[in-house]
Amino acid sequence: MNTTTTRPVSLAASPPADDVQARKVTLPRVIRSEWIKLRSVRSTIVTLGLTACAVIATGVLVSMLSNGVPITAEDETIYDPAGNSLFGATLAQLVLGVMGALVMTSEYSTGLIRTTLTAVPRRVPVLWAKVIVVAAAAFATMVASLLVAFFVGQAVYGGGGPSASLSDPGVLRAVLAAALFPTVIAVMGVGFGALMRHTATAIGILVAILFVVPVLFETLGGVWGRASEYLPAEAGQTLMTVVRYSGDMSPGTALLVLIGWIGVLLAAGTIALKRRDA
Amino acid sequence: MIEVTNLTKRYGSHVAVDDLSFTVRPGVVTGFLGPNGAGKSTTMRVILGLDRPTVGRALVNGRPFEEHRAPLREIGALLDAKGTHPARSARDHLLALAATTGISKRRVAEVLDLVGLSEVADRRSGGFSLGMGQRLGIASALLGDPHTVMLDEPVNGLDPEGILWIRKLLKSLADEGRTVLVSSHLMSEMALTAEHFIIVGRGRLIADMSGSELTAMTKPSSVRVRSPHAGRLRDLLGRDATDIVIRGDDLFDVVGMDADEIGARAWSAQLQLQELTPARASLEDIFIGLTEDAVEYHGATDSTNNTHELESS
């Protein structure tokens, strides 16, 4: 094939050794490498784009549907115009979680992991760089799309009932929280990916923890029911809600719960990556 | 320089590498030979720190590989052609690799050019043929201009032109003073490229010798002689040869006397020779002889033998 024809040269035509300038492997360099990997696979970019569209569309749609609905006395406390336009974040968690898992498991399914770990044989920087890149991409996508969803959503409300503004108490926090929660799930995806290595297993466990285990805990009730507050999905809802029932976990505690999940998962992922044969 | 010392690697009860020690020196192409399943790839993975040794260790340029500051500068490796994400282009693959150690875009373009992939560099690597994948793997290996180059079965999937190209490439790398370790299960291929040979079977070292030592083992076992004066020649040589085997009216094999000597004696007796052929054992024959007892997966003489191909090489 014409395109693979090799010039009859050997390495003699290559530059002298010091021209290549290989430098020390550092975390910022590995982050740069992982960023190139993330942006150079089209499906990742498409996923992020679709997530943004879905977040905006859902937020606007929920705002439109709930607009003009009369507020009854008992409903008043849960009328949450800001929360309504941020509704899309709940959808985004699964998509971004899957993306996080794939960023890790695709290395194993394609055999790329061996190339990657040959370039970074200390291994751990690879996991941290992936976490940072995935978190940054997820958070940036979420913040941007949530702000659009929020402003359009509030414009929908603008005419009639109560609407929210970014300067209202708790609203800015809710926007950031709604961006943060799917980001946390994306990072958990990376962690499960590092632990499980197989795409289907990693995603299966992530879905189970997000959607199945909470239902199971609620069904069991009692201690289990209260423990469900500490599951990532519940903690995420607590973090995101603007208007809260009294007796709920505080957003600060919810944030700590999520950080705890990430911490444990990434610690386990680090040990797995470091210990196991690649 | 690669130093492997008392390396043993077990996967469960399967011993892939068994107390293997050898040194790969710079300046020559070293062929790493063995039948499939001999432990070559496992050894290479241990050298790269991808697999942990059960016992023993492997050093790259005097240190465990992972302790090097700029690993791509120390060793460039091709493990298998599939070490890329199919949705990523060759250029982006190399750029991501280069970024880990601050290697420039220009160097990426250079290695793409060197392996002949410049024109397809921006296409998805998933669409590459096996040969193009090998070239991309070789480009990754050369990216950091490494002191040591280690390639696992690099000629797999290459066309004849590509095979010739890689032979030249390996020799020029060695001539530049680099350490070059190339694995293969084909002696015939290695015989044309390597100057030093490390031969393994069932995870154990079978031979560690230079090409000339190996060739010495190929000294002819017999010399075939054809002559219209076969009878007189046999009488003439019979006194000093170990054995003479008659093959036909004008044809016989002489054991224990070399072709020079036979030729000289025929000349002085003024007997015409029509053929004088040393029956030299090929490197391939020697390789097969050496590894015969160490072949893990013989051909299917029995159906159960086929069911446990654990490792491809």
Side-chain angles (χ1 to χ4, degrees):
Chain A
M1 188 173 162
N2 197 24
T3 46
T4 59
T5 306
T6 315
R7 293 180 303 130
V9 284
S10 66
L11 261 207
S14 82
D18 30 307
D19 196 52
V20 175
Q21 296 275 333
R23 298 179 180 86
K24 186 175 165 41
V25 174
T26 58
L27 185 60
R29 291 205 170 100
V30 183
I31 291 171
R32 205 179 130 62
S33 169
E34 290 301 330
W35 167 242
I36 294 171
K37 283 187 193 168
L38 191 79
R39 70 157 170 72
S40 60
V41 171
R42 196 189 298 160
S43 63
T44 323
I45 303 302
V46 170
T47 303
L48 289 171
L50 287 178
T51 305
C53 293
V55 166
I56 294 168
T58 313
V60 173
L61 197 68
V62 172
S63 301
M64 285 167 75
L65 290 175
S66 60
N67 190 26
V69 176
I71 307 160
T72 65
E74 60 264 46
D75 274 351
E76 195 162 20
T77 50
I78 57 161
Y79 191 74
D80 183 355
N84 285 344
S85 39
L86 301 179
F87 194 78
T90 314
L91 281 179
Q93 57 172 320
L94 183 61
V95 184
L96 293 177
V98 168
M99 184 193 82
L102 275 173
V103 159
M104 200 71 211
T105 55
S106 69
E107 293 255 349
Y108 288 95
S109 61
T110 59
L112 178 59
I113 190 71
R114 288 181 179 165
T115 314
T116 301
L117 296 184
T118 303
V120 188
R122 283 183 298 127
R123 298 187 180 193
V124 180
V126 173
L127 180 62
W128 292 108
K130 282 189 188 296
V131 164
I132 290 164
V133 166
V134 164
F139 192 70
T141 306
M142 289 309 298
V143 168
S145 54
L146 284 169
L147 283 177
V148 173
F150 179 81
F151 287 120
V152 176
Q154 299 315 307
V156 169
Y157 286 127
S163 65
S165 115
L166 270 190
S167 53
D168 288 347
V171 170
L172 185 60
R173 197 210 73 224
V175 173
L176 291 178
L180 194 61
F181 173 59
T183 305
V184 166
I185 302 304
V187 170
M188 284 178 61
V190 179
F192 280 122
L195 271 178
M196 304 302 158
R197 296 184 169 196
H198 292 285
T199 308
T201 324
I203 292 174
I205 290 186
L206 188 68
V207 168
I209 287 188
L210 287 180
F211 302 108
V212 182
V213 179
V215 177
L216 193 69
F217 276 23
E218 294 292 349
T219 315
L220 288 170
V223 184
W224 294 104
R226 283 199 301 283
S228 71
E229 275 195 317
Y230 292 90
L231 290 171
E234 295 294 314
Q237 287 305 327
T238 311
L239 188 67
M240 286 191 289
T241 316
V242 181
V243 183
R244 295 200 321 278
Y245 293 108
S246 58
D248 271 0
M249 185 185 267
S250 80
T253 314
L255 184 61
L256 286 178
V257 167
L258 290 176
I259 290 172
W261 273 91
I262 291 182
V264 171
L265 208 49
L266 290 186
T270 302
I271 293 168
L273 182 66
K274 194 78 189 153
R275 289 249 179 103
R276 288 155 76 184
D277 288 345
Chain B
M1 179 95 105
I2 299 172
E3 295 153 275
V4 171
T5 316
N6 301 116
L7 178 67
T8 296
K9 178 67 185 178
R10 276 186 221 109
Y11 297 102
S13 63
H14 175 74
V15 183
V17 178
D18 189 0
D19 198 28
L20 186 61
S21 298
F22 63 83
T23 300
V24 187
R25 290 186 179 77
V28 293
V29 176
T30 300
F32 192 23
L33 281 150
N36 289 336
K40 303 186 296 292
S41 297
T42 304
T43 306
M44 287 183 155
R45 284 202 300 272
V46 171
I47 291 169
L48 290 172
L50 294 173
D51 283 16
R52 259 165 238 299
T54 311
V55 184
R57 65 174 185 178
L59 299 183
V60 176
N61 304 323
R63 285 192 209 174
F65 180 56
E66 63 173 53
E67 288 178 14
H68 286 289
R69 283 163 45 95
L72 288 180
R73 188 83 180 81
E74 300 301 325
I75 201 163
L78 166 75
L79 284 186
D80 53 81
K82 257 193 75 227
T84 55
H85 192 298
R88 192 172 288 129
S89 73
R91 188 188 310 280
D92 284 330
H93 173 73
L94 293 174
L95 283 172
L97 209 54
T100 60
T101 189
I103 293 170
S104 70
K105 270 185 186 166
R106 221 192 60 201
R107 176 63 183 168
V108 168
E110 254 165 24
V111 291
L112 280 167
D113 201 30
L114 185 73
V115 301
L117 288 179
S118 296
E119 287 172 48
V120 293
D122 296 309
R123 285 196 218 156
R124 289 163 48 100
S125 64
F128 281 10
S129 67
L130 184 56
M132 288 157 87
Q134 288 287 40
R135 286 168 188 269
L136 178 54
I138 290 163
S140 330
L142 298 177
L143 188 62
D145 195 22
H147 301 300
T148 297
V149 177
M150 189 164 78
L151 309 175
D152 195 5
E153 305 271 359
V155 300
N156 269 2
L158 290 183
D159 51 18
E161 185 231 12
I163 293 175
L164 200 63
W165 168 73
I166 203 151
R167 263 185 227 146
K168 282 188 191 158
L169 176 72
L170 293 173
K171 287 202 165 149
S172 71
L173 288 168
D175 289 344
E176 288 166 11
R178 298 173 213 256
T179 304
V180 182
L181 181 66
V182 189
S183 84
S184 178
H185 62 281
L186 298 172
M187 184 74 206
S188 48
E189 174 51 37
M190 277 295 97
L192 295 166
T193 317
E195 293 164 67
H196 193 91
F197 297 86
I198 292 161
I199 300 175
V200 291
R202 281 187 184 266
R204 294 198 196 96
L205 186 70
I206 290 176
D208 180 350
M209 55 177 67
S210 68
S212 50
E213 286 174 284
L214 201 61
T215 315
M217 294 176 70
T218 69
K219 64 175 179 293
S221 46
S222 67
V223 180
R224 174 147 298 186
V225 180
R226 197 154 63 86
S227 166
H229 318 291
R232 287 172 63 193
L233 259 177
R234 283 202 299 274
D235 294 343
L236 185 70
L237 302 171
R239 278 167 272 148
D240 297 316
T242 315
D243 194 15
I244 288 184
V245 185
I246 298 171
R247 297 286 179 200
D249 286 348
D250 59 348
L251 199 65
F252 60 93
D253 291 343
V254 181
V255 181
M257 188 181 284
D258 68 14
D260 291 0
E261 181 66 22
I262 297 166
R265 291 192 185 198
W267 171 255
S268 52
Q270 297 205 302
L271 295 172
Q272 186 197 353
L273 289 179
Q274 290 164 316
E275 183 186 338
L276 188 62
T277 314
R280 189 175 284 275
S282 68
L283 284 178
E284 192 75 48
D285 296 333
I286 293 179
F287 174 58
I288 289 168
L290 283 171
T291 57
E292 211 165 31
D293 303 329
V295 176
E296 180 127 3
Y297 311 110
H298 281 288
T301 47
D302 148 6
S303 60
T304 56
N305 263 358
N306 278 352
T307 55
H308 53 131
E309 287 226 3
L310 294 175
E311 204 192 358
S312 61
S313 61

